[in-house]
Amino acid sequence: MSDGFDEFFDENTHWVEQGAPAAGSGNPPQPPKSRRDMRRRRAQHKRRHLIGIIAVVIVVALVVTGCFFAYGKLRAWRDARESSQTQQAADYAGPGDEDVSFTVQTGQSAGQIAQALYEADIIKSVAVFTSAVSANNATLYPGTFALKTHMKAIDVVKILSDQTQASGFLEVRAGERISDVIASAAELSGISKDEFEDVINGGGDGILPAEASGSFEGWFEPGTYNLADLDTASEIIKTLVDKRIAKLDDLGVPTGEERERILNIASIAEAEVNKSEYYGKVTRVIENRLEQDMTLGMDSTVAYGNNVSPSQITQAMLDDADNPYNTRQRKGLPPTPISSPGDNAITAAMNPEDGDWLFFVTTNLDTGETKFTSGSLDQQNTQFEQFVAELHQWEADNQ
């Protein structure tokens, strides 16, 4: 036992028993009463020592973590401040100096446009310009724009995102007729409209596929075209047709006479409704009426045959059986497509929705809401009359 007590006093002479005089009072600590008491005191000492170490580690960790986050915040603030100052320094004050003409090509990204603007000394920084595009959620349109050197980036973004300020690019819209396309092409290119009409009326040799039977209607692909790279009316028209053929191939449209038939049906759907959600139903109406040997009764074809808009149709036009496009008087599809249909209408013509619809009426000309009849022929005739009455009421309420 004496060895144990000697060891105890050698290691623990600084201990003070609870209730005993404080250290330095001159009174030695009380010896343990037993080995158990000795072991207990030794365990208490170790726990206190361990707790002290843990406490120090926690305090140090908290201090280090706090310093880390504080440094991060400070660095982020400093970087943001420096970035802001850099951007301000990397932007011209505007409004610009020398007049320049700048062309945005179809398919160019904001970064590519920014680089071209920078190289032309129109903007001072690619990063500032792309940031302005992103911050304003701007859409940059293809075309040739009138700009100046040394412009403020946001001013350039405003111009390039305004399609009305673009020139030199021909935009062919889905549902647009050939007559409207060549009028725009002639104005933008400076080539005589007569040259375009000579190509259109020339049969399409070397340009049109055989299934078009010499008619260009429906064979212009909607999209935007840079006319600056095309020198003649023939080149422009061939480009539009080649793009159309490539798109039809991509969409998997059958070749030959079936391709022309699909374009024909799609062009009617494109002209009759202005919402793609209805294309599949309209193409089914056309197929149902053809199957039942009914006339199509489409005002859009009558309008096309008279070179007017549907709102300009007269009763005399509706009664004119000599018009080959009068599908109120003549059965079957019109001789050619009546416009350049878009992808959605073409896809719908290949895959009409399932249904027994025979009639449809657009009852709200603002929203484009269109209603379709269903049921027996008598039921569908009754529904059709109801829908026509709804249209007339809408027209009366919105005059």
Side-chain angles (χ1 to χ4, degrees), residues 274-292:
N274 61 6
K275 286 188 175 182
S276 59
E277 65 186 273
Y278 296 133
Y279 290 154
K281 287 186 176 181
V282 172
T283 55
R284 175 55 65 189
V285 168
I286 294 171
E287 295 288 6
N288 287 344
R289 293 177 73 89
L290 290 173
E291 184 178 331
Q292 296 189 30

Side-chain angles (χ1 to χ4, degrees), residues 24-45:
S25 64
N27 296 321
Q30 296 296 319
K33 298 176 182 179
S34 64
R35 285 181 178 275
R36 179 180 297 174
D37 192 28
M38 180 182 69
R39 288 193 296 269
R40 180 182 60 80
R41 292 187 182 186
R42 187 177 292 169
Q44 287 177 342
H45 171 65

